[in-house]
């Protein structure tokens, strides 16, 4: 297994990092040389995003206080043009000391290799820290809102070179969200207008938790019809969702 210190040395051309503390490596090498200084950076560098992708677990193991800081910087890069999602605050929750590495003041930029690799390989660690969990879930729900498991992409979501990876992104987001989020957190997103049909298996498995009157109000799955037609359609949708749980 590749050593994170050797990797950083190789990428940055810095030497003897093993003699430095992790805090020194983060503040003096990783952030200025890999993420990029605020004065010359137009977005967080892929060198940094790929570090998060390759060594997310090592970063968590190094320091439980610094790890969410590093992950939040990566999440803010994703929020700055790579993934559409509901708004989250920035530069907070980054400590003020690290605001120079917030993407709040950077230029928007579509998804890059580093962004994609971070989502696919290192993102899970973000869901394990209180500082980053809320932001990470917003990103996962955004991915699912603007893509689907068949690779379709909403016209507003500019995936650029990764338009052929939409299905993989969707499946990754779905897996992580359903593993780490509660039903109460997931339900408002899965029942947005135009979204419920993507998530019938999950909804079916949780059918006993669903208030069906609320479900149909949220999803608007039944257009205005006469009472009998509406009731028949609602029953049909319920049955479809319940059956999906066993598929």
């Amino acid at each position: 297994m590749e050593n994170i210190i050797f990797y950083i040395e190789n990428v940055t051309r810095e030497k003897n990092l093993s003699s430095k503390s992790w805090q020194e490596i983060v503040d003096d090498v990783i952030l200025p040389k890999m993420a990029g200084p605020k004065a010359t950076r137009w977005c967080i560098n892929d060198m940094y995003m790929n570090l998060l992708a390759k060594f997310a677990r090592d970063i968590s193991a190094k320091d439980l206080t610094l790890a969410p800081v590093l992950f939040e910087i990566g999440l803010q890069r994703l929020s700055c043009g790579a993934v559409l999602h509901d708004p989250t605050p920035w530069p907070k929750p980054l400590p003020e000391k690290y605001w120079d590495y917030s993407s709040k003041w950077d230029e928007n930029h579509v998804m890059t290799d580093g962004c994609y690799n971070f989502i696919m390989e290192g993102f899970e660690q973000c869901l394990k820290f209180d500082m980053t969990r809320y932001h990470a879930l917003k990103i996962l729900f955004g991915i699912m809102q603007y893509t689907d498991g068949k690779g379709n992409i909403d016209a507003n979501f500019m995936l650029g070179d990764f338009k052929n990876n939409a299905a993989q992104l969707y499946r990754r987001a779905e897996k992580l969200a359903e593993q780490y989020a509660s039903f109460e957190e997931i339900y408002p997103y899965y029942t947005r207008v135009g979204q419920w049909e993507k998530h019938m298996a999950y909804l079916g498995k949780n059918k006993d938790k669903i208030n069906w009157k609320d479900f149909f109000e949220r999803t608007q799955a039944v257009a205005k019809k006469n009472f009998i037609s509406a009731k028949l359609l609602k029953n049909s949708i319920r049955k479809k969702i319940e059956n999906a749980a066993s598929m």
Side-chain angles (χ1 to χ4, degrees):
M1 182 180 293
E2 191 171 10
N3 180 287
I4 186 172
I5 301 300
F6 292 159
Y7 178 86
I8 295 168
E9 287 181 336
N10 184 54
V11 170
T12 64
R13 305 296 186 227
E14 291 286 328
K15 303 297 182 184
N16 302 315
L17 292 186
S18 58
S19 66
K20 296 180 178 290
S21 69
W22 182 242
Q23 180 80 61
E24 290 174 321
I25 293 171
V26 167
D27 290 346
D28 300 337
V29 181
I30 292 176
L31 292 177
K33 295 182 179 295
M34 299 182 79
K38 182 180 178 181
T40 58
R41 181 187 78 233
W42 50 281
C43 73
I44 296 295
N45 197 287
D46 257 14
M47 194 187 308
Y48 179 83
M49 300 302 287
N50 281 318
L51 177 74
L52 300 184
K54 289 175 67 70
F55 295 103
R57 289 184 180 180
D58 299 76
I59 289 168
S60 293
K62 284 285 186 184
D63 189 303
L64 293 176
T65 300
L66 279 175
V69 171
L70 296 176
F71 293 141
E72 177 61 23
I73 290 169
L75 293 176
Q76 291 194 18
R77 162 63 188 103
L78 295 181
S79 296
C80 194
V83 178
L84 290 178
H85 62 82
D86 287 357
T88 55
W90 58 357
K92 291 183 178 181
L94 281 178
E96 189 170 357
K97 174 182 177 180
Y98 295 105
W99 281 10
D100 276 357
Y101 298 97
S102 168
S103 291
K104 179 175 182 177
W105 301 283
D106 289 354
E107 295 181 23
N108 278 4
H109 195 273
V110 295
M111 190 171 294
T112 60
D113 287 337
C115 294
Y116 179 79
N117 294 337
F118 176 41
I119 293 169
M120 299 301 292
E121 299 172 29
F123 201 87
E124 184 172 2
Q125 292 297 312
C126 301
L127 295 159
K128 298 180 179 181
F129 292 92
D130 289 342
M131 179 192 292
T132 51
R133 185 178 181 278
Y134 171 83
H135 191 166
L137 285 176
K138 292 280 189 181
I139 289 171
L140 296 179
F141 291 132
I143 290 171
M144 287 187 283
Q145 180 170 342
Y146 293 102
T147 63
D148 67 23
K150 296 179 181 179
N152 296 308
I153 309 168
D154 186 283
N156 293 308
F157 190 11
M158 304 301 292
L159 265 178
D161 292 340
F162 297 90
K163 60 185 178 182
N164 293 327
N165 300 89
Q168 292 94 315
L169 285 165
Y170 177 89
R171 287 193 292 268
R172 179 65 172 160
E174 182 181 58
K175 179 181 178 180
L176 290 177
E178 293 180 8
Q179 181 178 350
Y180 285 95
S182 67
F183 174 80
E184 290 72 22
E185 290 171 316
I186 289 174
Y187 179 76
Y189 291 92
Y190 280 17
T191 54
R192 287 186 174 182
V193 175
Q195 298 297 309
W196 68 272
E197 289 183 285
K198 300 178 185 178
H199 308 295
M200 288 193 294
Y202 178 88
L203 294 168
K205 290 172 185 175
N206 291 276
K207 61 182 182 297
D208 294 338
K209 300 176 184 177
I210 296 174
N211 177 317
W212 289 100
K213 181 177 183 296
D214 178 76
F215 172 86
F216 287 112
E217 289 176 353
R218 286 176 178 270
T219 61
Q220 299 179 31
V222 178
K224 290 184 178 179
K225 298 178 181 290
N226 65 56
F227 176 78
I228 295 175
S229 296
K231 185 174 179 62
L232 288 172
L233 183 54
K234 287 179 180 179
N235 288 340
S236 174
I237 289 172
R238 283 190 62 170
K239 186 174 182 180
K240 189 176 181 181
I241 289 173
E242 289 167 359
N243 289 340
S246 60
M247 295 177 64

